[in-house]
């Protein structure tokens, strides 16, 4: 402990001498940190990474030892430097990197995650109150490595950092499509990389119950198609997350979304004549636990008694969403029950259910988190309201603010439904608080937010590409100051993070090619890649119309699955068109032409491929896109673009604006802008010439 | 059982009507089956795959149900067809595919894996004696799907198949680099895809002891760096393998290769003054169990008592290799012991040890497998000798034949050390028996072979690319007739299998780009890919000179790690040069030029990249290769190539023939051939012109 105090003193005096020689804006052009830290100043020094790099730790504890060892592997793998010492030391003098912390945190909603980092003149000091702070600081340090062309160096900086929100979560739905342990672990690594701290594990739903139960074995035997987590696997994941300073909040969704539970134990259902089965479609279904049966509470009590010890966190998520009550309405006994207990509405009945549930969970030391619907007058204020509803569900201003106003702590998810496949910009611009009219107390009750990855349309092959990189930008929204809002700069930094996530094991980039190779029957995929980079999967649940087109066992190895929510070339093209519109000089013209050439040549390559069943649906749009590209290119080069040309191109543009194979081409607006601009610029002149 | 008999009768009469309308040679040009079946005849029919595809199974059993369900997912994912029924039925009439088997096999060395498959006129019947035969037949059927450009179809065939060898194994060393469960599982999937049936799990070595021990917990706590398999994970892997008809043979290597064991329990070692630690280098090390101590046998007895129940197979591998006996020689007590028991050599002492071990294992119902060195006069004939030594270890004709001649059953690995990074052709040409002078009995004692993936230089990122696709060709050597030896045709079929392995989850192709993106600091990797396609990692252990250059924690994210043992463009280039040499017409010239252009342009792209530390080492060779390409291309086009030109090119070729960044360019011979040919063809003429 003595070492720590001395270092802290040295550290404090040291920081006073810093000069801030870059403004924050210049810094985030120069650096690719994400999330952006609270305070950062450059000192202009450079610390070269070489084989003599060493780490010293001042205190025992698996979190820091593990993070430091991983940090060494990351350094080696990222840079190719053969570091001599593959493991950290304890209290080693003259180590390159000193990790100094005071206490091992018992993870909770109030864990201190702050840290200070000084990188200067071949010495790096990272100090924090807790070991979790060290883990967060190491993520920052890893992002400070830059190549100068010949070597990798740590850029010299002083960083003082702490999160804006306490609850920075990612929910993964493992019911609709099961996600194996290693996949969860790599996503936990990615979360830690961008300093997220809550993994919400959506473990049960109509499409599968994913925890082994020794007390009720039919749950996993008949409710999971054989894919579920054993207790040991859950403990393994929880320990892995804990090492990264990530809390794990399990969710068992009741009383609705219960088809998988009822497939195993139909006697707990609200409709005795219903043939309960694991659901294969998407949507909201009728199977619901029967809140009037004492056996249901016995079941839940025993189940929670069994599973709560697996999850050390004080919170437990009980779902509670989207119970439409159809099976309650059609059950005479339930109607009688409601009358007897003066429960006027199904919502009242669900409240009755929730209150009982809350008591059971309290018995096992758990506080309750639940989706919006659990908020009823008798719900204790210790419960956290998880706000999922917004405009789309008829709540103009969402459901977060009413929860706060009613005295609840709350977390926001409505704005962070990444399965809606909206752009990174959209999510980045959503602030959990924004300009809401809240008192200080109410504002403090916003714990943070959660990204929700519902898995109707994702499999282990594609899930990483749906979560990342967009979630990294949302993680910044949760961690960084509300004033960090420059989208252009965020995109620049995100591009770097995107590749770093690949290096640490995420498959979001590499699996694109796997899908394209498969649909092409293993031909050259360049032309498909070109098309995929301007195509996005249909957004806001348009892809799976009515929820029945795709079943859980349908192929998710299609062209749409190789396209991302932020088509990279579409964004780049938009920028060059804007520039050209502003100033049609030859350099800007050339930048536009490069894209048009790419699409023209892409189609030429595409045409040369052997026919393959999954390529047929791409031909029409690709052909028209090529034709548009040729014409626009000609116009740019020739300076001729008549009204008639424009009409023809606009008509083709309307053709390719229609969705195809569950995607849409997202450069239509830019092409229209270009067409209009060319027409304004050249059309008149040409008419005059005539 | 009745259903089965009826179907068998129907089946037998049905097969009589087949006409063999293709010869075997034509068939393996037309089809991409691997391993090639024992008997196959085409019936020319086509069964279209559509959404109505269904499977019926005649008998219960998880192996077939699991394989059939996976088959449905494979069909959907491969073809994009939305199959209506995502699960197989039992005894369903008019199913598209009928799976008919008589018994659930209790996996052993004698499990019947034969099957018959009839694909004809929209009906597919797969019959087998055992459920394992069905699993094997489904792998064949999956390979019979072909696209006609608009649809995917099953080609119509009659196949009657059974393996040549009983033991078709893959060994994975998880000690030098730990390999996680999901990685093992995907490799088991790949093994099943090419009909391999033994997974040999090398679980302990100097670099790590990888099984949890409840009896001796320090083994995993202090001998594994925290990465090991729990009992549950082992059971999970064994069950997964069993479902695929794959036996799991564990190996705990004793008495040598024991540094990790002794790091945990130094009191069991042969040198009381030695500082036992987990080894970080590669090679053969001194730490050895002390065979004179009774505690060693107590330890092994307890350990085997604990772990043998995890592995249901009747065989257990005890290693036994490479004990150089240095610590035995230097230990006075051991010397006394040897004298007392008249054990003249260390080999005698090891025999003493092995005999005791054999008795312990017998107590737990296990027969013994061990590397060559366990074969001593007193070793029971029930033991299987695993032959790993060949010419490189001073055994001109290997060690397999002596073992057979001495009455042992044996399996061959010496020829299948894929970590030597030799070409697929090399391994494919090694027959386990070849033309050895053996009696029928001796030949029958060759159980088969095992591919060995030692993991000094492979990590989870790269291991798939070291195992596959070469192992698929070796799998054919183990399964198919010894007369299937056409390398050119094997390569054609392997190319298809290579991509199929990617689709089922292997990462051998996709991870190449991940490495290249990283070493380029995420720039465009096309130029690096071009170079990697003609470069191979140094072979036969030249990469890790002396075993100390790479430690277990060194980076394996280098250019060499992105290159494969069979550089694909090198092979293709060799062929076009040969053709051009034979007939220098313009079309053959064009084929050669295409490659030369590629390398020239590749270097131009490479030069445009920003400098990056890991690219520096590539420049010299790439530049020279580009220069060579430009000159040779000019010669081809101009018809001029003087002696002086040739001298200059040959000198450059000598330059780039030297290894760099742990790889070598493997088109040197082809370029020399081309240079010589051009000189012969044009040199003289040019001289005459002068």
């Amino acid at each position: 402990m003595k070492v720590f105090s001395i270092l802290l003193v040295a550290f404090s005096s040291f920081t006073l001498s810093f000069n801030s020689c870059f403004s924050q804006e210049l810094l985030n052009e120069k650096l690719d940190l994400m999330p952006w830290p609270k305070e950062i100043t450059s000192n202009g020094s450079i610390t070269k990474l070489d084989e003599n790099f060493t780490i010293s730790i001042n205190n025992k504890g698996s979190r820091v030892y593990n993070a430091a060892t991983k940090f060494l592997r990351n350094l080696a793998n990222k840079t190719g430097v053969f570091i001599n010492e593959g493991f950290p030391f304890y209290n080693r003098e003259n180590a390159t990197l000193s990790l100094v912390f005071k206490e091992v945190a018992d993870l909770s909603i109030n864990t201190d995650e702050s840290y200070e980092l000084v990188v200067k003149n071949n010495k790096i000091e990272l100090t924090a109150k807790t070991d979790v702070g060290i883990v967060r600081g190491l993520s920052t340090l890893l992002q400070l490595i830059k190549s100068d062309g010949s070597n990798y160096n740590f850029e010299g900086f002083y960083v003082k950092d702490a999160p804006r929100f306490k609850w920075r979560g990612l929910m993964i739905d493992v019911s609709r499509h099961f996600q194996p342990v290693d996949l969860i672990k790599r996503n936990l690594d990615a979360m830690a990389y961008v300093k997220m701290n809550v993994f919400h594990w959506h473990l049960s739903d109509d499409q599968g119950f994913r925890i082994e139960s020794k007390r009720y074995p039919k749950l996993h035997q008949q409710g999971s198609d054989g894919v579920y987590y054993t207790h040991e696997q859950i403990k393994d994941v929880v320990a892995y997350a804990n090492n990264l300073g990530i809390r794990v909040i399990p969710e068992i969704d009741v009383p609705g979304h219960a088809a998988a539970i009822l497939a195993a134990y139909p006697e707990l259902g609200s409709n005795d004549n219903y043939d309960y089965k694991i659901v294969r479609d998407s949507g909201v279904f009728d199977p619901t636990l029967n809140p009037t049966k004492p056996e249901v509470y016995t079941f839940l009590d025993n189940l929670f008694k069994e599973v709560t010890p697996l999850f050390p966190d004080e919170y437990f998520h009980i779902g509670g969403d989207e119970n439409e009550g159809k099976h309650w309405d059609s059950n005479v006994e339930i109607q009688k029950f409601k009358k007897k207990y003066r429960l006027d509405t199904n919502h009242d009945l669900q409240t009755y259910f929730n209150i009982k549930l809350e008591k059971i969970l309290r018995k096992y030391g758990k506080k309750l988190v639940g989706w919006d619907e659990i908020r009823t007058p008798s719900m204790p204020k210790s419960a956290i309201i998880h706000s999922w509803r917004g405009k789309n569900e008829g709540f103009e201003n969402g459901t977060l603010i009413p929860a706060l106003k009613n005295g609840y702590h709350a977390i926001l998810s409505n704005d962070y439904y990444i399965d809606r496949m909206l752009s990174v910009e959209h999510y980045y611009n959503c602030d959990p608080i924004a300009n809401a009219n809240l008192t200080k107390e109410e504002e403090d009750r916003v714990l943070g937010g959660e990204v929700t990855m519902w898995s109707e349309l994702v499999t282990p092959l594609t899930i990483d590409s749906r979560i990342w990189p967009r979630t990294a930008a949302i993680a910044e929204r949760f961690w960084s100051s509300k004033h960090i809002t420059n989208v252009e700069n965020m995109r620049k930094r995100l591009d770097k993070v995107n590749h770093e996530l690949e290096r640490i094991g995420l498959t979001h980039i590499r699996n694109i090619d796997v899908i394209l190779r498969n649909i092409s029957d293993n031909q050259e995929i360049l032309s498909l890649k070109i098309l995929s980079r301007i195509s996005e999967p249909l957004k806001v649940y348009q892809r799976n119309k009515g929820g029945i087109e795709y079943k859980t066992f349908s192929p998710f190895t299609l062209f749409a699955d190789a396209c991302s929510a932020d088509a990279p070339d579409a964004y780049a093209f938009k920028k060059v068109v804007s520039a050209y519109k502003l100033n049609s000089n030859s350099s800007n013209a050339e930048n536009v032409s490069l894209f048009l050439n790419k699409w023209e040549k892409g189609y030429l390559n595409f045409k040369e491929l052997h026919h393959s069943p999954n390529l047929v649906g791409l031909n029409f749009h690709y052909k028209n896109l090529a034709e548009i590209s040729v014409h626009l290119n000609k116009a740019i080069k020739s300076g001729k673009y008549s009204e008639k040309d424009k009409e023809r191109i606009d008509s083709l543009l309307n053709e390719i604006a229609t969705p195809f194979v569950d995607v849409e081409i997202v450069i239509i607006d830019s092409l229209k802008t270009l067409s209009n601009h060319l027409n304004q610029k050249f059309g008149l002149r040409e008419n005059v010439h005539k």
Side-chain angles (χ1 to χ4, degrees), chain A residues 282-390:
Chain A
S282 304
V284 178
F285 301 95
D286 300 339
T288 312
L289 298 184
N290 187 335
T292 71
K293 285 188 178 171
E295 306 91 286
V296 166
Y297 301 102
T298 310
F299 167 81
L300 289 172
D301 194 328
N302 287 329
L303 182 64
F304 287 139
K305 184 178 182 180
E306 179 183 4
V307 302
T308 50
L310 300 172
F311 301 97
D313 201 85
E314 65 173 331
Y315 287 96
F316 199 100
H317 204 302
I318 54 119
D321 55 317
E322 295 185 315
N323 170 24
E324 296 182 345
K326 287 189 196 156
H327 279 193
W328 289 356
D329 293 340
S330 64
N331 181 321
V332 178
E333 295 303 316
I334 293 178
Q335 293 311 313
K336 282 189 197 155
F337 185 92
K338 279 170 71 177
K339 279 206 186 104
K340 182 172 167 194
Y341 290 95
R342 301 188 181 191
L343 302 164
D344 293 340
T345 65
N346 282 339
H347 199 196
D348 292 340
L349 181 56
Q350 188 163 341
T351 301
Y352 170 90
F353 173 84
N354 283 340
I355 300 298
K356 291 188 84 109
L357 212 61
E358 196 271 338
K359 282 196 188 120
I360 293 171
L361 280 165
R362 205 188 318 147
K363 202 165 66 179
Y364 301 118
K366 298 297 178 193
K367 292 177 186 163
L368 197 145
V369 193
W371 301 103
D372 277 336
E373 290 91 328
I374 69 157
R375 184 168 59 81
T376 54
S378 32
M379 179 56 67
K381 295 291 188 278
S382 62
I384 294 176
I385 307 302
H386 192 170
S387 164
W388 74 273
R389 290 183 295 186

Side-chain angles (χ1 to χ4, degrees), chain A residues 44 206 254 349 478-479:
Chain A
D206 296 306
V254 285
L349 181 56
F478 296 159
W479 176 281

